[in-house]
Coordinates of all heavy atoms in Angstrom, one line a residue:
P129 N -32.2 -2.9 -102.1 CA -33.7 -2.5 -102.2 C -34.6 -3.3 -101.4 O -34.4 -4.6 -101.5 CB -34.0 -2.5 -103.8 CG -32.8 -3.5 -104.2 CD -31.7 -3.5 -103.3
L130 N -35.6 -2.7 -100.8 CA -36.3 -3.4 -100.0 C -37.6 -4.0 -100.9 O -37.9 -3.3 -101.8 CB -37.2 -2.5 -99.0 CG -36.1 -2.0 -97.8 CD1 -36.9 -1.0 -96.9 CD2 -35.5 -3.2 -97.1
P131 N -38.0 -5.1 -100.6 CA -39.3 -5.6 -101.3 C -40.4 -4.8 -101.0 O -40.5 -4.0 -100.1 CB -39.4 -7.0 -100.7 CG -38.2 -7.5 -100.0 CD -37.5 -6.1 -99.6
D132 N -41.3 -5.0 -102.0 CA -42.6 -4.1 -102.1 C -43.3 -4.3 -100.9 O -44.1 -3.4 -100.3 CB -43.4 -4.2 -103.3 CG -42.5 -3.8 -104.5 OD1 -41.6 -3.0 -104.4 OD2 -42.8 -4.2 -105.6
H133 N -43.4 -5.5 -100.3 CA -44.3 -5.9 -99.2 C -43.7 -5.4 -97.8 O -44.5 -5.7 -96.8 CB -44.6 -7.4 -99.1 CG -43.3 -8.2 -98.8 ND1 -42.3 -8.5 -99.8 CD2 -42.8 -8.7 -97.7 CE1 -41.4 -9.3 -99.4 NE2 -41.8 -9.3 -97.9
V134 N -42.5 -5.0 -97.7 CA -41.9 -4.6 -96.5 C -42.2 -3.2 -96.1 O -42.3 -2.2 -97.0 CB -40.4 -4.6 -96.5 CG1 -39.8 -4.1 -95.1 CG2 -39.9 -6.1 -96.8
T135 N -43.0 -2.8 -94.9 CA -43.4 -1.5 -94.5 C -42.2 -0.8 -93.7 O -41.7 -1.4 -92.7 CB -44.6 -1.6 -93.7 OG1 -45.6 -2.3 -94.3 CG2 -45.1 -0.2 -93.3
V136 N -41.9 0.4 -94.0 CA -40.9 1.2 -93.3 C -41.5 1.9 -92.1 O -42.5 2.7 -92.3 CB -40.1 2.1 -94.4 CG1 -39.2 3.0 -93.5 CG2 -39.7 1.5 -95.6
V137 N -41.0 1.4 -90.9 CA -41.5 2.2 -89.8 C -40.8 3.5 -89.5 O -39.6 3.6 -89.5 CB -41.3 1.3 -88.4 CG1 -41.9 1.9 -87.2 CG2 -41.8 0.0 -88.7
P138 N -41.5 4.5 -89.3 CA -40.9 5.9 -89.1 C -40.1 5.9 -87.8 O -40.4 5.2 -86.8 CB -42.1 6.9 -88.9 CG -43.2 6.1 -88.5 CD -43.0 4.7 -89.2
A139 N -39.0 6.8 -87.8 CA -38.1 6.8 -86.5 C -38.9 7.3 -85.4 O -39.8 8.3 -85.5 CB -37.0 7.7 -86.9
R140 N -38.6 6.7 -84.0 CA -39.3 7.1 -82.9 C -38.7 8.4 -82.5 O -37.4 8.7 -82.6 CB -39.2 6.0 -81.8 CG -40.1 4.8 -82.2 CD -40.0 3.8 -81.1 NE -40.8 2.7 -81.5 CZ -40.9 1.6 -80.7 NH1 -40.2 1.6 -79.6 NH2 -41.5 0.6 -81.0
P141 N -39.4 9.2 -81.7 CA -38.8 10.5 -81.1 C -37.9 10.2 -80.0 O -37.9 9.1 -79.4 CB -40.0 11.2 -80.7 CG -41.1 10.2 -80.4 CD -40.9 9.2 -81.4
D142 N -37.0 11.2 -79.6 CA -36.2 11.0 -78.5 C -37.0 10.8 -77.2 O -37.9 11.6 -76.9 CB -35.3 12.3 -78.4 CG -34.3 12.3 -77.2 OD1 -34.1 11.0 -76.7 OD2 -33.5 13.1 -77.0
P143 N -36.5 9.8 -76.3 CA -37.4 9.6 -75.1 C -37.4 10.8 -74.2 O -38.4 11.0 -73.6 CB -36.6 8.4 -74.4 CG -35.9 7.6 -75.6 CD -35.5 8.7 -76.6
A144 N -36.3 11.5 -74.1 CA -36.3 12.8 -73.2 C -37.2 13.8 -73.7 O -37.9 14.5 -73.0 CB -34.8 13.3 -73.3
Q145 N -37.5 13.8 -75.1 CA -38.4 14.7 -75.6 C -39.9 14.2 -75.4 O -40.8 15.1 -75.4 CB -38.2 15.1 -77.2 CG -36.8 15.6 -77.3 CD -36.7 17.0 -76.8 OE1 -37.6 17.7 -76.7 NE2 -35.4 17.3 -76.5
A146 N -40.1 12.9 -75.3 CA -41.5 12.5 -75.0 C -42.0 12.6 -73.7 O -43.2 12.5 -73.5 CB -41.5 11.0 -75.6
V147 N -41.0 12.8 -72.6 CA -41.3 13.0 -71.2 C -41.9 14.4 -71.0 O -41.3 15.3 -71.6 CB -40.1 12.6 -70.4 CG1 -40.5 12.9 -68.8 CG2 -39.6 11.3 -70.6
P148 N -42.9 14.5 -70.3 CA -43.5 15.9 -70.0 C -42.5 16.7 -69.3 O -41.7 16.2 -68.5 CB -44.8 15.6 -69.1 CG -45.2 14.2 -69.5 CD -44.0 13.4 -69.9
W149 N -42.6 18.1 -69.6 CA -41.7 19.0 -68.9 C -41.7 18.9 -67.4 O -40.6 19.0 -66.8 CB -42.0 20.4 -69.5 CG -41.2 21.5 -68.8 CD1 -41.5 22.4 -67.8 CD2 -39.8 21.8 -69.2 NE1 -40.4 23.1 -67.5 CE2 -39.4 22.8 -68.3 CE3 -38.9 21.1 -70.0 CZ2 -38.1 23.2 -68.4 CZ3 -37.5 21.6 -70.0 CH2 -37.2 22.7 -69.2
G150 N -42.9 18.8 -66.9 CA -42.9 18.9 -65.5 C -42.3 17.6 -64.9 O -41.5 17.6 -63.8
V151 N -42.4 16.5 -65.5 CA -41.8 15.2 -64.9 C -40.3 15.3 -65.2 O -39.6 14.9 -64.3 CB -42.4 14.0 -65.7 CG1 -41.6 12.7 -65.2 CG2 -43.8 14.0 -65.5
R152 N -39.8 15.9 -66.2 CA -38.3 16.1 -66.4 C -37.7 17.1 -65.4 O -36.7 16.7 -64.8 CB -38.1 16.7 -67.8 CG -38.4 15.7 -68.9 CD -38.3 16.4 -70.3 NE -37.0 16.8 -70.5 CZ -36.5 17.5 -71.5 NH1 -37.4 18.0 -72.4 NH2 -35.2 17.9 -71.8
V153 N -38.4 18.1 -65.0 CA -38.0 18.9 -64.0 C -37.9 18.3 -62.6 O -36.9 18.3 -61.7 CB -38.8 20.2 -63.9 CG1 -38.3 21.1 -62.6 CG2 -38.7 21.0 -65.2
A154 N -39.0 17.6 -62.3 CA -39.0 16.8 -61.0 C -37.9 15.7 -61.0 O -37.3 15.6 -59.8 CB -40.4 16.2 -60.9
A155 N -37.6 15.1 -61.9 CA -36.6 14.2 -62.0 C -35.2 14.8 -61.9 O -34.4 14.2 -61.1 CB -36.6 13.4 -63.3
E156 N -35.1 15.9 -62.5 CA -33.7 16.5 -62.3 C -33.5 17.1 -61.0 O -32.4 16.9 -60.4 CB -33.6 17.8 -63.4 CG -33.6 17.4 -64.8 CD -32.2 17.0 -65.2 OE1 -31.3 17.3 -64.5 OE2 -32.1 16.3 -66.3
A157 N -34.6 17.6 -60.4 CA -34.4 18.1 -59.0 C -34.2 16.9 -58.0 O -33.5 16.9 -57.1 CB -35.6 18.9 -58.4
G158 N -34.9 15.8 -58.3 CA -34.9 14.7 -57.5 C -33.6 14.0 -57.3 O -33.1 13.7 -56.2
W159 N -32.9 13.8 -58.4 CA -31.6 13.2 -58.3 C -30.6 14.0 -57.6 O -29.7 13.5 -56.9 CB -31.0 12.5 -59.5 CG -30.6 13.5 -60.6 CD1 -31.2 14.2 -61.7 CD2 -29.3 14.2 -60.6 NE1 -30.5 15.0 -62.2 CE2 -29.3 15.0 -61.7 CE3 -28.1 14.0 -59.9 CZ2 -28.1 15.8 -62.1 CZ3 -27.0 14.7 -60.1 CH2 -27.1 15.6 -61.3
R160 N -30.8 15.2 -57.8 CA -29.9 16.2 -57.1 C -30.1 16.1 -55.6 O -29.2 16.2 -54.7 CB -30.0 17.6 -57.6 CG -29.4 17.6 -59.1 CD -29.6 19.2 -59.6 NE -28.8 19.4 -60.8 CZ -29.1 19.1 -62.0 NH1 -30.3 18.3 -62.1 NH2 -28.4 19.3 -63.1
V161 N -31.4 16.2 -55.3 CA -31.8 16.0 -53.7 C -31.1 14.7 -53.2 O -30.6 14.6 -52.0 CB -33.2 16.2 -53.6 CG1 -33.6 15.8 -52.1 CG2 -33.7 17.4 -53.9
L162 N -31.3 13.6 -54.0 CA -30.7 12.3 -53.4 C -29.3 12.5 -53.3 O -28.6 12.0 -52.3 CB -31.1 11.3 -54.4 CG -32.6 10.8 -54.4 CD1 -32.8 9.8 -55.6 CD2 -33.1 10.2 -53.1
V163 N -28.6 13.2 -54.2 CA -27.0 13.2 -54.1 C -26.7 14.1 -52.7 O -25.8 13.8 -52.1 CB -26.4 13.9 -55.3 CG1 -25.0 14.3 -55.1 CG2 -26.6 12.9 -56.5
L164 N -27.5 15.1 -52.6 CA -27.3 15.9 -51.4 C -27.5 15.2 -50.1 O -26.7 15.1 -49.1 CB -28.0 17.2 -51.5 CG -27.7 18.2 -52.5 CD1 -28.7 19.4 -52.5 CD2 -26.4 18.8 -52.3
A165 N -28.7 14.5 -50.2 CA -29.0 13.7 -49.0 C -27.9 12.6 -48.8 O -27.6 12.3 -47.5 CB -30.3 13.0 -49.2
G166 N -27.4 12.0 -49.7 CA -26.4 11.0 -49.6 C -25.1 11.5 -49.0 O -24.5 10.9 -48.2
T167 N -24.8 12.8 -49.4 CA -23.6 13.5 -49.0 C -23.7 13.8 -47.5 O -22.8 13.7 -46.8 CB -23.4 14.8 -49.8 OG1 -23.3 14.4 -51.1 CG2 -22.0 15.4 -49.4
V168 N -25.0 14.3 -47.3 CA -25.1 14.6 -45.7 C -25.1 13.3 -44.8 O -24.6 13.4 -43.7 CB -26.5 15.4 -45.8 CG1 -26.9 15.6 -44.1 CG2 -26.5 16.7 -46.3
W169 N -25.6 12.3 -45.3 CA -25.6 11.1 -44.6 C -24.2 10.6 -44.4 O -23.9 10.2 -43.3 CB -26.4 10.0 -45.3 CG -26.5 8.7 -44.6 CD1 -27.4 8.3 -43.5 CD2 -25.7 7.5 -44.9 NE1 -27.1 7.0 -43.1 CE2 -26.2 6.5 -43.8 CE3 -24.7 7.2 -45.6 CZ2 -25.5 5.2 -43.8 CZ3 -24.1 6.0 -45.6 CH2 -24.5 4.9 -44.7
V170 N -23.4 10.6 -45.4 CA -22.0 10.1 -45.2 C -21.3 11.1 -44.3 O -20.5 10.6 -43.5 CB -21.2 10.3 -46.6 CG1 -19.8 9.8 -46.6 CG2 -21.9 9.1 -47.6
L171 N -21.6 12.4 -44.5 CA -20.9 13.4 -43.5 C -21.3 13.1 -42.1 O -20.4 13.1 -41.2 CB -21.2 14.9 -44.0 CG -20.6 16.0 -43.1 CD1 -19.2 15.9 -43.3 CD2 -21.2 17.3 -43.6
M172 N -22.6 12.8 -41.8 CA -23.1 12.5 -40.5 C -22.4 11.2 -40.0 O -22.1 11.1 -38.8 CB -24.6 12.4 -40.5 CG -25.3 13.8 -40.8 SD -24.6 15.0 -39.7 CE -25.2 14.4 -38.0
R173 N -22.2 10.2 -40.8 CA -21.6 9.1 -40.4 C -20.1 9.3 -40.0 O -19.7 8.7 -39.0 CB -21.6 8.0 -41.4 CG -23.0 7.5 -41.9 CD -23.7 6.6 -40.8 NE -23.0 5.4 -40.7 CZ -23.3 4.4 -39.9 NH1 -24.4 4.5 -39.1 NH2 -22.6 3.3 -39.9
V174 N -19.4 10.1 -40.7 CA -18.0 10.4 -40.4 C -17.9 11.3 -39.1 O -17.1 10.9 -38.2 CB -17.4 11.3 -41.6 CG1 -16.1 11.8 -41.2 CG2 -17.3 10.3 -42.9
I175 N -18.8 12.1 -39.0 CA -18.9 12.9 -37.7 C -19.3 12.0 -36.5 O -18.6 12.2 -35.4 CB -19.9 14.1 -37.8 CG1 -19.4 15.1 -38.8 CG2 -20.1 14.8 -36.4 CD1 -20.4 16.2 -39.1
S176 N -20.1 11.2 -36.7 CA -20.5 10.2 -35.6 C -19.3 9.2 -35.2 O -19.1 8.8 -34.0 CB -21.7 9.4 -35.9 OG -21.4 8.6 -37.1
A177 N -18.5 9.0 -36.3 CA -17.3 8.1 -35.9 C -16.2 8.9 -35.2 O -15.5 8.2 -34.4 CB -16.7 7.5 -37.3
V178 N -16.2 10.1 -35.5 CA -15.1 10.9 -34.7 C -15.8 12.0 -33.8 O -15.4 13.2 -33.8 CB -14.0 11.5 -35.7 CG1 -13.2 10.5 -36.2 CG2 -14.7 12.3 -36.7
Q179 N -17.0 11.6 -33.2 CA -17.8 12.6 -32.6 C -17.0 13.2 -31.3 O -17.1 14.5 -31.1 CB -19.0 11.9 -31.9 CG -19.9 12.7 -31.1 CD -21.0 11.9 -30.6 OE1 -21.4 10.9 -31.2 NE2 -21.8 12.4 -29.6
L180 N -16.1 12.6 -30.6 CA -15.4 13.2 -29.6 C -14.6 14.3 -30.1 O -14.3 15.4 -29.4 CB -14.7 12.1 -28.9 CG -13.8 12.5 -27.7 CD1 -14.7 13.2 -26.5 CD2 -12.9 11.4 -27.2
V181 N -13.8 14.0 -31.2 CA -12.9 15.0 -31.7 C -13.6 16.3 -32.2 O -13.3 17.4 -32.0 CB -12.2 14.4 -33.0 CG1 -11.1 15.5 -33.5 CG2 -11.3 13.2 -32.5
V182 N -14.9 16.0 -32.8 CA -15.6 17.2 -33.5 C -16.1 18.0 -32.3 O -16.1 19.2 -32.3 CB -16.8 16.6 -34.3 CG1 -17.7 17.8 -34.7 CG2 -16.2 16.0 -35.5
L183 N -16.7 17.5 -31.2 CA -17.3 18.1 -30.1 C -16.2 18.9 -29.4 O -16.4 20.0 -28.9 CB -18.0 17.2 -29.2 CG -19.3 16.7 -29.7 CD1 -19.9 15.7 -28.6 CD2 -20.3 17.8 -30.0
A184 N -14.9 18.2 -29.2 CA -13.8 19.0 -28.6 C -13.4 20.2 -29.4 O -13.2 21.3 -28.8 CB -12.7 18.0 -28.4
F185 N -13.4 20.1 -30.6 CA -12.9 21.3 -31.5 C -14.0 22.3 -31.5 O -13.6 23.5 -31.4 CB -12.7 20.7 -32.9 CG -12.3 21.8 -33.9 CD1 -11.0 22.4 -33.7 CD2 -13.2 22.4 -34.7 CE1 -10.4 23.2 -34.6 CE2 -12.6 23.5 -35.6 CZ -11.4 23.8 -35.5
V186 N -15.3 21.9 -31.6 CA -16.3 22.9 -31.6 C -16.3 23.6 -30.2 O -16.5 24.9 -30.1 CB -17.6 22.3 -31.8 CG1 -18.8 23.3 -31.6 CG2 -17.8 21.7 -33.2
A187 N -16.2 22.9 -29.1 CA -16.1 23.5 -27.8 C -14.9 24.4 -27.7 O -14.9 25.5 -27.1 CB -15.9 22.4 -26.6

Side-chain angles (χ1 to χ4, degrees):
L130 296 175
D132 296 337
H133 63 277
V134 176
T135 304
V136 179
V137 180
R140 295 183 180 180
D142 186 7
Q145 300 296 329
V147 178
W149 174 255
V151 177
R152 294 174 63 186
V153 173
E156 292 285 338
W159 73 261
R160 286 176 170 83
V161 171
L162 289 177
V163 170
L164 291 177
T167 304
V168 172
W169 182 82
V170 172
L171 182 62
M172 296 306 299
R173 296 288 293 182
V174 173
I175 291 176
S176 63
V178 291
Q179 179 177 340
L180 181 62
V181 178
V182 174
L183 289 180
F185 182 73
V186 174

